[in-house]
Amino acid sequence: MPKMKTNRGAAKRFKATGTGKIARAKAFTSHILTTKTTKQKRNLRKGELVDSANLKGIRRILPYL
């Protein structure tokens, strides 16, 4: 059986933590920043963990993560 292919777009967006969870960056950080408050932009800089509802699909496209 051949090796599974990793989705390269997803590989650039997600990474595994030390405990095996999957980390992601927050959205809404790239443009129209003048309308967002400083507090909002500061909180968008922090990372997040992938929600359990999306975890199964992410693990499917990232088999070796």
Side-chain angles (χ1 to χ4, degrees):
M1 183 146 172
K3 289 190 240 180
M4 295 173 69
K5 283 198 172 182
T6 297
N7 181 303
R8 297 314 295 162
K12 295 165 190 173
R13 287 169 172 83
F14 301 102
K15 65 179 183 127
T17 62
T19 56
K21 295 174 182 166
I22 299 179
R24 66 171 179 87
K26 291 185 182 177
F28 305 106
T29 59
S30 56
H31 62 102
I32 317 177
L33 296 172
T34 53
T35 59
K36 296 178 177 89
T37 64
T38 306
K39 182 178 181 180
Q40 193 177 358
K41 290 185 277 191
R42 183 170 61 245
N43 287 329
L44 287 171
R45 287 199 295 261
K46 299 173 186 171
E48 281 273 312
L49 294 176
V50 171
D51 193 69
S52 59
N54 302 318
L55 205 54
K56 187 179 176 184
I58 300 296
R59 291 216 185 271
R60 186 176 291 129
I61 60 177
L62 297 171
Y64 302 107
L65 193 66

